[in-house]
Amino acid sequence: MVIRKEKKSCGQVVEEWKEFVWNPRTHQFMGRTGTSWAFILLFYLVFYGFLTAMFTLTMWVMLQTVSDHTPKYQDRLATPGLMIRPKTENLDVIVNISDTESWDQHVQKLNKFLEPYNDSIQAQKNDVCRPGRYYEQPDNGVLNYPKRACQFNRTQLGDCSGIGDPTHYGYSTGQPCVFIKMNRVINFYAGANQSMNVTCAGKRDEDAENLGSFVMFPANGNIDLMYFPYYGKKFHVNYTQPLVAVKFLNVTPNVEVNVECRINAANIATDDERDKFAGRVAFKLRINKT
Amino acid sequence: MVGGFSILLWVGAILCWIAYGIEYSNDPSSSLDNVYLGAVLALVVVLTGIFAYYQEAKSTNIMASFSKMIPQQALVIRDAEKKTIPSEQLVVGDIVEIKGGDQIPADIRLLSSQGCKVDNSSLTGESEPQSRSCDFTHDNPLETKNIGFYSTTCLEGTATGMVINTGDRTVIGQIASLASGVGNEKTPIAIEIEHFVHIVAGVAVSLGIIFFIIAVSMKYPVLYSIIFLIGIIVANVPEGLLATVTVTLSLTAKRMAKKNCLVKNLEAVETLGSTSIICSDKTGTLTQNRMTVAHLWFDNQIFMADTSEDHSNQIFDQSSGTWASLSKILTLCNRAEFKPGQESLPIMKKTVVGDASETALLKFSEVILGNVMEIRKRNRKVAEIPFNSTNKFQLSIHETDDPNDRRFLMVMKGAPERILEKCSTIMINGQEQPLDESTAKAFHTAYMELGGLGERVLGFCHLYLPADEFPETYSFDIDTMNFPTSSLCFVGLLSMIDPPRSTVPDAVTKCRSAGIKVIMVTGDHPITAKAIARSVGIISANSETVEDIAKRLNIAVEQVNKWDAKAAVVTGMELKDMSPEQLDELLANHSEIVFARTSPQQKLIIVEGCQRLGAVVAVTGDGVNDSPALKKADIGIAMGIAGSDAAKNAADMVLLDDNFASIVTGVEEGRLIFDNLKKTIAYTLTKNIAELCPFLIYIIVGLPLPIGTITILFIDLGTDIIPSVALAYEKAESDIMNRKPRHKKKDRLVNKPLALYSYLHIGLMQSLGAFVVYFTVYTQAGFRPSTLIGLRLEWEKDDVNDLEDSYGQEWTRYQRQYLEWTGYTAFFVAIMVQQIADLIIRKTRRNSIFQQGLFRNKVIWVGIASQIIIALILSYGLGSITALNFTMLRAQYWFVAVPYAILIWVYDEMRKLFIRLYPGGWWDKNMYY
């Protein structure tokens, strides 16, 4: 097995490269002549043009298979998740009472978040619905008829509405409000025609002790059926997501408290092992007092 | 084996671990994917290594079974006592005794000898037994008669000798060390694989760096960009290819072993395919290695005998009375005998006690006359003079089986001219006639003609002793020769040759059409060598040597223009006087060359000459002396039957049946494997793009990751393995034995068109097809393509549990994760489906699939079935095991990529069509890989 290896000097290598880049004898640039380059570029232009067209066509065909107002498959969203506001990093609600800046960002976020819930806006855009039953709006033959939404007034949030509130949702006094919301899922009849509510508790026993008492708005953490079903953002433009506000009144300061809120509804399981946010939400609460 | 490849994988594995280290230092909870990937890469290298080792160990075992590992003993006289000691304990100056059947334990100088004959064939290539005596006859130790060489065998007689060299200092030992000194360098396939690794690594690193720059300029943190860089490099590593190549090579090795080529070194499988010159031995390789009666001359006529392997068909005229006499001489004047206990074997296979010529005569007469032993029994032998080199004849006297004839019959055979001298009459058509000028001339013409064919000619004569002078009771004395040995009756001539194997001429023709030059290298006489070369086609019927031209034109040899002759017969003596330049010139300018009377050492010179011309040289050899040449050759081929252990050790391949035709089969397999490896690599490289693109798009466009690392591994080491091996079973597209041998520098395994076509054509189509499936899955679940763009950051945040899709629905992290895995599965299935199309198109490179036959290679379909089954198991069987990131995929998603699979097939058929339509054209040059 013999290969005679000719060692090339450095200069030769450079020379070879030079010749590869531009070969003056054959007028080749990078191993191809001008015409050859033209040919190959033209070929790739046509070829890739064709592929782009093909891709576009198949994507277009694919997009024809889905409708504008409901997704084709919703099996992944059988159990809606819960989420809190303010949306904080790692869902840690940390409030340093003395340090205004630590909670001011939360307050800013909440102000912005609750703005659409202002009674005036709600009154202007949304209907007053009959509580306790679903607000169903069948198309009645008119394809994709725009849907109306029910009012959820900010004042319903009581002490947590933040209207004329000098305590800034309680953040300045160490009695913060956390808002619970349930993920929107199109055509989902939450509660299966029975009333449902959100409950919160400390995750472990010591958490429960440290958590202290809290109040919920609307009372009992109720979510009314009239906010369901959701018809999708395209046709249910002014849909207002129902909220439950929890105001923690006397959290033991300087301790991290694990809080878990879950929804009690007939058709929402809250015990999914893999999805920790299915029908529930866990967050940390810490009030730092000096 | 395939070293560069393993290194590539090792580098990949280490990069993976580095990437994990970086991730871990940032975020201790980062996923372990990279660790797994690294581990799998390392495992692949190790397992493939073990497999290759096992394969080679298996052939080594077969090798080991050749050599009988009996420790050699020597009978030595020490302290005035005869002792038996292991031969490695001999020292210089020891006196050893040897007898017939012993192997000589060291180089010895003979002190006494009684009829000692040795077989030096393993050393000098000379197959005749050599007599040894105490006389110094030549300056050259190899030629002088008073030296016995280590490892040669003493055939008969006894001798005493003094040890002059032991171990590595013996003549054989020096050759062996010369052989081990010749470096064992890279095989052509190893070079090709290295070249391929360079390409892959080049693509990987440059892509990696480009995207590193892009990532950095897109304001990704540098650390992340480094992880991307590593990810891209690792994604380019074809994990499964090392295993595939190894398995493919060993499959071929197995197939070759079935055809009597035992491959010791897996890579040598392909080397044989790129061979451009075969330097072949004559005896045993091109010929049957047994003397066989080829021609007869009696009644003034030359008859041809059948020399094929089974001798069945002796059609010459057997009615003449002369033949009756001749056949009697043949059977009676012959000392050779069949070994007992072989009644069931065909005659040609029986072993015979006796020398080569007598064996030939015995078998010849046995075939024609039937039971020779019985005839001999009926014609009792009363006296005999065995053949010796001074008499140059052999004589025996028999009673005849004719009860009415009380005369003794004296039969004699020997060198024709000696026999003729003793004759006064000649038998023509069964009648004795006086031997006159004209018949003597006829004899000479026939003798010259048969000699000119390179055959060994024997003359036969007989005499019925007159009954009155030699009554039944007469006692013959062979020492005083009390019987006449002149005025005999000449009966006929018979010539013998070691005939070519019947398959060889075909094989040589095949070599020629395959552009392989066959050079014969033999120790035999030039005339014999040339005759055999002509009969097997190494020198073709219409080509002439310088001598032939000289004879035809009736001019002196020196006047002939050397370059007019296509063929050349060069003797060892001429070769000795040649400068390397002259040898190069000779090798380059003659297409048909025979080297005769060469010593095994000169084989090395010839091999080196061929290699200087840039040829890939295959060399056959059997003797110990051949081992340097075998080592030096690109592929050394040892003879399994006649070969010495040293030759087998030095060789890369062993021909189990010693048959030249098997080499040609090997060449065919070797070429096929090269073509099929090309296909395998093209197949494997293609999906690399489809695996890489998602990652690039993920970085640049910010889509949720389309396919995960573990999923990619399941393609590379799961669904794709059996199909890529299946390509090794693909039959040749065109007659691969009709094209020139591969040019080492120009015909690369992985060339530019192959890489471009795989990466930028098929690979890209696959990526597009897979992306369509990916988008389908996401869109139908609620995330339209427009939403997905730039979604990556939010998508991957664990604390975002209300990510909005295109319809305003909100998704928790786990819900998204599950969708992402469904995306992986869909992407995986899409690649799998398109790889089926890729597999089918890779069956051929030029011909249409329909020409090749869609169903001829059944293994391909096994491969396709395996792909589908593995994918089904992963998706539905393991769908609930989330660690592997597979989910149950909706049935219709399996078919989304089918249009792209069809497109791939159609596009490739089009490519092949244009290649066939415009050979040598622009399309052919750019598209044929």
Side-chain angles (χ1 to χ4, degrees):
Chain A
M1 309 278 167
V2 172
I3 291 305
R4 290 147 298 275
K5 193 147 192 166
E6 357 17 276
K7 276 269 172 229
K8 290 180 205 153
S9 74
C10 193
Q12 266 175 312
V13 173
V14 171
E15 211 39 55
E16 271 174 26
W17 267 98
K18 258 192 206 157
E19 192 164 289
F20 174 69
V21 174
W22 174 248
N23 185 336
R25 274 177 299 112
T26 52
H27 289 271
Q28 279 177 330
F29 172 68
M30 307 279 274
R32 285 181 184 278
T33 59
T35 21
S36 173
W37 272 112
F39 260 125
I40 202 89
L41 290 178
L42 181 72
F43 169 78
Y44 276 102
L45 197 71
V46 171
F47 179 54
Y48 285 168
F50 167 74
L51 284 189
T52 317
M54 173 91 184
F55 183 70
T56 316
L57 177 76
T58 41
M59 286 296 281
W60 179 81
V61 169
M62 186 273 288
L63 287 172
Q64 299 313 301
T65 65
V66 292
S67 88
D68 274 352
H69 71 289
T70 36
K72 193 165 177 122
Y73 299 114
Q74 289 184 284
D75 53 324
R76 282 298 101 214
L77 297 176
T79 314
L82 293 195
M83 196 43 187
I84 58 160
R85 288 290 182 274
K87 197 170 174 178
T88 54
E89 193 150 321
N90 296 326
L91 304 183
D92 295 339
V93 182
I94 298 163
V95 182
N96 295 321
I97 297 177
S98 52
D99 177 9
T100 321
E101 255 176 54
S102 75
W103 43 263
D104 189 51
Q105 38 160 342
H106 300 330
V107 173
Q108 297 303 324
K109 276 188 203 157
L110 287 176
N111 284 338
K112 207 170 165 222
F113 173 66
L114 290 173
E115 208 178 282
Y117 290 85
N118 286 342
D119 293 16
S120 53
I121 297 176
Q122 288 295 318
Q124 185 192 338
K125 289 184 174 164
N126 290 348
D127 301 346
V128 181
C129 310
R130 224 181 90 192
R133 46 177 277 191
Y134 293 118
Y135 187 43
E136 280 178 288
Q137 303 170 72
D139 281 343
N140 285 338
V142 185
L143 199 62
N144 300 330
Y145 189 78
K147 309 293 190 289
R148 304 284 301 170
C150 296
Q151 288 184 3
F152 187 98
N153 288 320
R154 194 163 168 177
T155 44
Q156 282 173 262
L157 296 171
D159 290 356
C160 286
S161 69
I163 301 166
D165 184 359
T167 65
H168 302 282
Y169 308 99
Y171 281 81
S172 61
T173 56
Q175 293 178 320
C177 284
V178 174
F179 298 83
I180 315 281
K181 66 189 250 301
M182 185 164 72
N183 282 352
R184 293 187 295 264
V185 176
I186 291 174
N187 288 333
F188 181 65
Y189 289 80
N193 237 338
Q194 292 155 38
S195 67
M196 54 190 159
N197 69 329
V198 172
T199 53
C200 290
K203 211 165 190 179
R204 286 176 290 267
D205 290 347
E206 66 266 29
D207 290 327
E209 271 171 39
N210 293 334
L211 187 59
S213 59
F214 54 84
V215 284
M216 294 184 121
F217 308 95
N220 217 9
N222 271 333
I223 295 179
D224 202 279
L225 296 185
M226 66 183 176
Y227 300 105
F228 303 93
Y230 172 56
Y231 286 107
K233 79 174 174 193
K234 191 157 184 189
F235 304 104
H236 215 164
V237 181
N238 295 318
Y239 179 75
T240 310
Q241 212 166 357
L243 298 174
V244 171
V246 192
K247 190 173 178 71
F248 298 94
L249 298 175
N250 51 351
V251 180
T252 313
N254 305 328
V255 176
E256 205 173 74
V257 186
N258 291 300
V259 189
E260 194 179 64
C261 297
R262 50 179 74 219
I263 182 138
N264 301 306
N267 60 352
I268 301 176
T270 59
D271 54 354
D272 191 314
E273 294 231 332
R274 296 210 184 97
D275 191 351
K276 301 290 181 211
F277 290 85
R280 62 202 143 145
V281 59
F283 58 94
K284 280 181 194 147
L285 195 58
R286 188 187 174 100
I287 313 290
N288 289 330
K289 228 179 223 171
T290 39
Chain B
M1 108 144 243
V2 276
F5 227 138
S6 331
I7 290 170
L8 185 72
L9 291 187
W10 277 123
V11 169
I14 290 165
L15 284 179
C16 280
W17 291 324
I18 292 174
Y20 178 72
I22 297 174
E23 280 177 350
Y24 185 82
S25 61
N26 270 2
D27 171 12
S29 67
S30 55
S31 94
L32 286 168
D33 278 10
N34 269 326
V35 180
Y36 297 147
L37 179 57
V40 168
L41 288 181
L43 196 72
V44 166
V45 188
V46 172
L47 285 183
T48 320
I50 291 173
F51 180 78
Y53 172 78
Y54 165 77
Q55 275 301 323
E56 286 183 11
K58 226 165 52 177
S59 0
T60 318
N61 275 343
I62 304 175
M63 297 302 305
S65 67
F66 284 128
S67 55
K68 293 147 208 87
M69 300 300 284
I70 305 160
Q72 219 190 323
Q73 301 286 322
L75 188 64
V76 59
I77 301 173
R78 282 184 183 174
D79 309 329
E81 255 181 74
K82 281 188 189 176
K83 286 180 190 165
T84 306
I85 60 166
S87 53
E88 60 261 34
Q89 290 179 9
L90 287 177
V91 293
V92 173
D94 269 333
I95 306 292
V96 292
E97 285 191 1
I98 52 170
K99 59 179 190 310
D102 285 356
Q103 228 178 21
I104 299 178
D107 281 1
I108 56 173
R109 205 186 76 217
L110 299 190
L111 305 174
S112 71
S113 152
Q114 287 86 39
C116 175
K117 277 189 176 174
V118 292
D119 174 11
N120 273 357
S121 60
S122 68
L123 199 59
T124 57
E126 185 72 58
S127 58
E128 291 290 307
Q130 315 257 301
S131 68
R132 295 282 104 161
S133 66
C134 319
D135 307 326
F136 169 75
T137 53
H138 204 284
D139 280 336
N140 184 341
L142 281 172
E143 302 281 336
T144 184
K145 283 199 169 206
N146 62 342
I147 291 192
F149 296 102
Y150 173 52
S151 92
T152 60
T153 333
C154 174
L155 294 174
E156 54 188 79
T158 58
T160 320
M162 183 195 276
V163 174
I164 51 171
N165 274 318
T166 56
D168 278 353
R169 283 174 301 279
T170 58
V171 172
I172 282 254
Q174 279 166 7
I175 292 166
S177 58
L178 181 61
S180 60
V182 175
N184 208 347
E185 288 172 55
K186 280 182 192 141
T187 56
I189 192 71
I191 294 166
E192 288 306 319
I193 297 273
E194 195 168 88
H195 176 245
F196 165 63
V197 168
H198 284 169
I199 290 180
V200 168
V203 169
V205 171
S206 37
L207 261 180
I209 290 174
I210 290 170
F211 279 86
F212 177 75
I213 294 167
I214 291 177
V216 168
S217 52
M218 282 176 71
K219 306 263 186 309
Y220 279 103
V222 174
L223 227 45
Y224 265 105
S225 308
I226 290 175
I227 293 175
F228 289 157
L229 170 83
I230 293 175
I232 289 169
I233 292 175
V234 174
N236 264 296
V237 175
E239 292 93 349
L241 208 52
L242 177 58
T244 313
V245 170
T246 313
V247 172
T248 306
L249 286 177
S250 50
L251 274 177
T252 307
K254 223 174 185 176
R255 210 150 55 194
M256 283 165 88
K258 241 183 237 162
K259 293 174 181 167
N260 292 320
C261 301
L262 180 72
V263 180
K264 278 173 61 193
N265 173 354
L266 279 188
E267 294 170 23
V269 170
E270 193 281 322
T271 312
L272 201 53
S274 42
T275 301
S276 52
I277 296 183
I278 300 176
C279 293
S280 176
D281 274 345
K282 178 179 100 27
T283 311
T285 314
L286 296 170
T287 66
Q288 301 171 14
N289 196 18
R290 62 160 171 248
M291 275 303 186
T292 304
V293 176
H295 291 97
L296 304 96
W297 180 79
F298 57 85
D299 296 346
N300 266 334
Q301 232 180 320
I302 290 179
F303 298 94
M304 220 155 59
D306 177 23
T307 54
S308 67
E309 268 87 344
D310 59 1
H311 249 46
S312 52
N313 203 7
Q314 301 293 3
I315 44 152
F316 61 92
D317 178 23
Q318 295 166 12
S319 58
S320 159
T322 320
W323 164 246
S325 304
L326 182 58
S327 63
K328 200 152 219 175
I329 308 173
L330 283 183
T331 44
L332 298 182
C333 188
N334 193 333
R335 298 177 64 188
E337 284 176 21
F338 289 112
K339 273 194 183 160
Q342 320 182 63
E343 284 70 23
S344 56
L345 286 174
I347 296 166
M348 299 317 289
K349 293 248 168 70
K350 289 182 187 173
T351 34
V352 175
V353 186
D355 74 16
S357 317
E358 295 223 305
T359 305
L361 295 176
L362 173 63
K363 288 187 172 172
F364 179 69
S365 38
E366 178 91 5
V367 166
I368 297 175
L369 304 172
N371 197 334
V372 170
M373 294 313 189
E374 189 54 43
I375 298 173
R376 284 200 202 154
K377 220 178 268 169
R378 277 189 269 126
N379 300 272
R380 200 172 62 85
K381 193 191 289 178
V382 290
E384 178 179 48
I385 302 175
F387 184 87
N388 71 47
S389 46
T390 36
N391 283 345
K392 295 214 162 145
F393 68 80
Q394 176 183 357
L395 173 157
S396 59
I397 302 172
H398 300 260
E399 296 170 352
T400 59
D401 52 357
D402 183 353
N404 303 324
D405 193 347
R406 293 270 149 240
R407 292 178 298 174
F408 284 104
L409 171 64
M410 187 174 82
V411 287
M412 190 193 247
K413 76 165 187 245
E417 62 275 15
R418 282 299 187 83
I419 297 292
L420 194 74
E421 278 169 17
K422 298 185 192 300
C423 293
S424 56
T425 55
I426 181 165
M427 188 178 272
I428 305 282
N429 297 326
Q431 304 301 315
E432 266 185 57
Q433 292 177 4
L435 186 68
D436 54 22
E437 285 278 296
S438 69
T439 41
K441 202 174 167 211
F443 160 85
H444 276 290
T445 329
Y447 182 27
M448 289 313 288
E449 189 176 339
L450 295 178
L453 293 174
E455 295 174 6
R456 185 188 291 174
V457 189
L458 288 179
F460 295 83
C461 64
H462 72 182
L463 182 70
Y464 282 97
L465 300 176
D468 46 348
E469 271 180 63
F470 302 94
E472 265 177 85
T473 50
Y474 190 84
S475 101
F476 293 93
D477 184 348
I478 54 166
D479 292 325
T480 54
M481 301 254 251
N482 56 354
F483 45 87
T485 54
S486 58
S487 302
L488 313 177
C489 170
F490 190 85
V491 181
L493 290 173
L494 203 146
S495 69
M496 284 168 294
I497 198 163
D498 179 9
R501 289 167 178 271
S502 53
T503 48
V504 169
D506 259 359
V508 172
T509 319
K510 258 187 167 174
C511 280
R512 185 148 293 151
S513 60
I516 302 170
K517 199 158 150 180
V518 182
I519 295 179
M520 182 199 272
V521 184
T522 175
D524 275 7
H525 194 275
I527 293 177
T528 319
K530 192 172 157 192
I532 292 291
R534 267 208 195 281
S535 64
V536 298
I538 287 179
I539 296 181
S540 47
N542 51 6
S543 53
E544 296 174 308
T545 62
V546 175
E547 291 78 15
D548 291 333
I549 296 176
K551 204 168 150 196
R552 176 167 54 87
L553 301 175
N554 219 353
I555 50 175
V557 171
E558 291 74 29
Q559 288 173 297
V560 179
N561 180 359
K562 274 198 283 189
W563 313 134
D564 285 350
K566 252 175 88 186
V569 177
V570 182
T571 64
M573 292 308 280
E574 292 167 329
L575 186 60
K576 212 182 251 170
D577 299 334
M578 275 186 194
S579 66
E581 292 74 32
Q582 282 172 312
L583 177 61
D584 288 355
E585 214 168 86
L586 174 84
L587 290 169
N589 288 306
H590 293 287
S591 56
E592 299 166 348
I593 306 174
V594 171
F595 289 98
R597 283 251 179 259
T598 49
S599 68
Q601 284 95 332
Q602 285 179 317
K603 227 183 209 174
L604 186 62
I605 298 170
I606 297 168
V607 170
E608 283 171 336
C610 294
Q611 285 179 336
R612 273 198 300 274
L613 297 180
V616 176
V617 187
V619 172
T620 70
D622 44 21
V624 176
N625 247 12
D626 290 333
S627 47
L630 290 175
K631 264 265 152 91
K632 181 79 189 164
D634 294 280
I635 178 161
I637 303 168
M639 297 300 138
I641 302 169
S644 62
D645 292 343
K648 284 175 190 162
N649 279 330
D652 304 292
M653 210 177 90
V654 178
L655 274 194
L656 294 179
D657 60 355
D658 288 15
N659 189 350
F660 180 81
S662 305
I663 302 179
V664 181
T665 335
V667 170
E668 204 168 336
E669 288 290 342
R671 290 186 171 192
L672 186 59
I673 194 68
F674 187 80
D675 282 5
N676 285 349
L677 270 184
K678 240 182 187 180
K679 296 173 184 173
T680 304
I681 289 178
Y683 171 76
T684 317
L685 280 190
T686 305
K687 55 133 194 315
N688 249 20
I689 282 295
E691 291 166 353
L692 191 64
C693 274
F695 196 58
L696 305 183
I697 300 284
Y698 165 77
I699 296 173
I700 294 176
V701 185
L703 300 178
L705 189 60
I707 186 165
T709 316
I710 293 181
T711 324
I712 289 177
L713 278 185
F714 273 102
I715 299 176
D716 290 357
L717 299 175
T719 56
D720 260 8
I721 289 287
I722 298 175
S724 16
V725 173
L727 282 172
Y729 289 92
E730 197 56 45
K731 300 270 179 308
E733 257 174 87
S734 43
D735 196 355
I736 46 174
M737 291 305 276
N738 277 341
R739 61 177 193 228
K740 293 256 158 298
R742 176 169 80 84
H743 190 286
K744 267 200 281 192
K745 293 259 164 59
K746 284 186 201 140
D747 304 327
R748 308 313 300 252
L749 181 64
V750 178
N751 49 22
K752 210 160 52 177
L754 186 146
L756 288 179
Y757 187 67
S758 301
Y759 277 141
L760 294 184
H761 294 214
I762 305 296
L764 210 71
M765 287 192 214
Q766 275 196 355
S767 313
L768 290 180
F771 266 108
V772 169
V773 185
Y774 163 85
F775 281 124
T776 309
V777 168
Y778 276 78
T779 307
Q780 298 199 335
F783 290 93
R784 286 165 173 272
S786 49
T787 317
L788 286 175
I789 291 168
L791 197 61
R792 188 182 84 86
L793 273 182
E794 285 291 300
W795 181 276
E796 289 182 349
K797 270 189 194 153
D798 283 335
D799 51 9
V800 175
N801 279 293
D802 54 351
L803 188 74
E804 202 178 306
D805 67 14
S806 315
Y807 294 89
Q809 308 185 97
E810 291 166 316
W811 293 65
T812 65
R813 171 69 182 127
Y814 181 78
Q815 286 163 345
R816 297 198 302 272
Q817 181 83 69
Y818 195 89
L819 181 59
E820 191 178 317
W821 290 338
T822 311
Y824 291 179
T825 314
F827 212 95
F828 165 84
V829 167
I831 292 180
M832 185 276 291
V833 166
Q834 294 176 90
Q835 278 293 79
I836 293 178
D838 191 24
L839 181 63
I840 291 173
I841 65 166
R842 299 301 183 182
K843 279 163 66 77
T844 61
R845 294 184 296 150
R846 181 189 294 276
N847 286 349
S848 161
I849 296 298
F850 303 103
Q851 283 171 298
Q852 181 81 352
L854 200 48
F855 300 99
R856 246 174 69 200
N857 181 354
K858 303 276 184 304
V859 191
I860 288 275
W861 291 95
V862 174
I864 292 176
S866 81
Q867 279 183 304
I868 296 173
I869 291 169
I870 291 175
L872 284 173
I873 290 175
L874 285 174
S875 174
Y876 295 120
L878 303 177
S880 52
I881 303 174
T882 47
L884 297 180
N885 302 353
F886 282 95
T887 67
M888 307 227 190
L889 201 63
R890 278 175 214 285
Q892 70 265 35
Y893 292 153
W894 290 72
F895 301 98
V896 177
V898 169
Y900 280 86
I902 294 170
L903 175 72
I904 287 172
W905 191 345
V906 171
Y907 177 67
D908 193 63
E909 279 295 324
M910 210 180 72
R911 176 188 74 92
K912 289 166 187 164
L913 179 70
F914 282 129
I915 287 174
R916 291 196 304 273
L917 283 182
Y918 306 107
W922 179 88
W923 185 271
D924 189 12
K925 273 188 204 129
N926 286 285
M927 294 296 200
Y928 181 65
Y929 56 87

